[in-house]
């Protein structure tokens, strides 16, 4: 689902690949070299891999019935810490607006949609809907980034989504319309956020930590009233909950989003998008290791298909394959 790493095929405003795999965004060149495409992809993959721990952390460590509060603590404290580390605020009205838009799309809307989908659907159905994100990014890239739509990339995107479905959907899966709409909404919201992040790049002199801090803080501030209107006051927090919230905020929030946004400005957007398939795969592995869940032959096949799609998403399309 990608264009070649050496030729992202984006417009001038979207940024272009630099000598070291970095980009020059619409606001000027990014500071400092980045490693090559493969090391950058491996570092970026840490983000969706950590997101795959969300289910086991939520079920084993956090108080039930407060998914939005978990999302709030995952976003706002991490954003404030990132701002303190980066010590850079948006300059000019344009970047204040862009940071707000990206924060709401990538975090502020995505987290509530995911919470609704997880509440109303079996986890497998919700994960499969989230796996539609690479397909959405491929379509948006043609409209926003002017990338050529590739049958080869679309085929691998469908393969990856099907593989995730085989891994996580059981025979008794139910399909609640509101839950399905929320699951697709989460995929669409983050897909648009991912595409616009690539389109706008990062301003000159702004590092990935500060850039992530802008978006996490904006998303967290958006979530603040939503959380308390929907869930009321915070739950009772014990020692295990403190550990769970710390993991989600520092690792699943701060570290993951710094690496994620760093990768988005360094790699073709569809190469990054397909990495989200790692999240349900990691969740499945943790379910087997931590919760004693078993993997049948169909799930093993699906696992292999999803991994193949992830690998194919990091490689150039063959000649004639789009």
């Amino acid at each position: 689902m990608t264009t070649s790493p050496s030729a992202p095929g984006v417009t001038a405003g979207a940024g272009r690949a630099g000598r070291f795999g970095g980009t020059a965004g619409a606001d000027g060149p990014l500071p400092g070299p980045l490693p090559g495409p493969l090391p950058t992809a491996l570092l970026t993959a840490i983000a969706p891999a950590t997101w795959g721990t969300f289910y086991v952390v939520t079920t084993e460590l956090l108080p039930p019935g407060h998914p939005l509060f978990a999302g709030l603590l995952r976003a706002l404290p991490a954003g404030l810490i990132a701002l303190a580390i980066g010590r850079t605020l948006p300059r000019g009205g344009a970047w204040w607006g862009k940071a707000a838009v990206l924060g709401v799309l990538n975090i502020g809307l995505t987290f509530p949609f995911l919470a609704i989908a997880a509440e109303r659907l079996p986890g497998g159905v919700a994960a499969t809907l989230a796996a539609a994100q690479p397909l959405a990014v491929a379509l948006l890239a043609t409209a926003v980034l002017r990338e050529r739509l590739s049958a080869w990339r679309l085929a691998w995107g469908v393969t990856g989504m099907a593989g995730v479905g085989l891994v996580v959907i059981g025979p008794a899966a139910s399909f609640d319309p509101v839950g399905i709409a929320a699951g697709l909404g989460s995929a669409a919201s983050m897909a648009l956020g991912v595409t616009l992040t690539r389109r706008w790049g990062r301003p000159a002199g702004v590092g990935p930590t500060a850039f992530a801090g802008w978006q996490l803080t904006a998303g967290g501030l958006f979530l603040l009233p939503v959380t308390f209107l929907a869930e009321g006051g915070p739950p009772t927090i014990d020692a295990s909950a403190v550990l769970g919230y710390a993991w989600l905020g520092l690792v699943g929030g701060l570290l993951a989003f710094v690496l994620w946004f760093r990768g988005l400005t360094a790699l073709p957007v569809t190469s990054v998008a397909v990495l989200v398939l790692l999240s349900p795969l990691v969740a499945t592995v943790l379910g087997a290791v931590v919760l004693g869940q078993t993997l049948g032959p169909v799930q093993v096949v699906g696992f292999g298909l999803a991994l193949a799609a992830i690998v194919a998403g990091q490689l150039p399309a063959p000649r004639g394959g789009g």
Side-chain angles (χ1 to χ4, degrees), residues 298-314:
V298 172
Q299 290 174 298
V300 172
V301 170
F303 210 99
L305 288 174
L307 285 178
I310 291 168
V311 172
Q314 311 311 309

Side-chain angles (χ1 to χ4, degrees), residues 87-158:
R87 298 184 178 182
T88 306
L89 293 176
R91 291 187 289 271
W95 264 107
W96 280 99
K98 289 177 181 180
V101 169
L102 294 178
V104 170
L105 288 173
N106 286 320
I107 294 150
L109 287 177
T110 299
F111 285 6
F113 278 142
L114 285 173
I116 294 170
E119 184 177 274
R120 302 183 69 105
L121 295 171
V125 178
T128 303
L129 293 174
Q133 186 189 132
L135 295 176
V137 169
L139 295 174
L140 285 169
T142 64
V144 178
L145 305 181
R146 306 302 185 202
E147 292 186 359
R148 183 162 55 96
L149 188 62
S150 165
W152 169 262
R153 308 304 178 191
L154 286 175
W156 277 114
V158 173

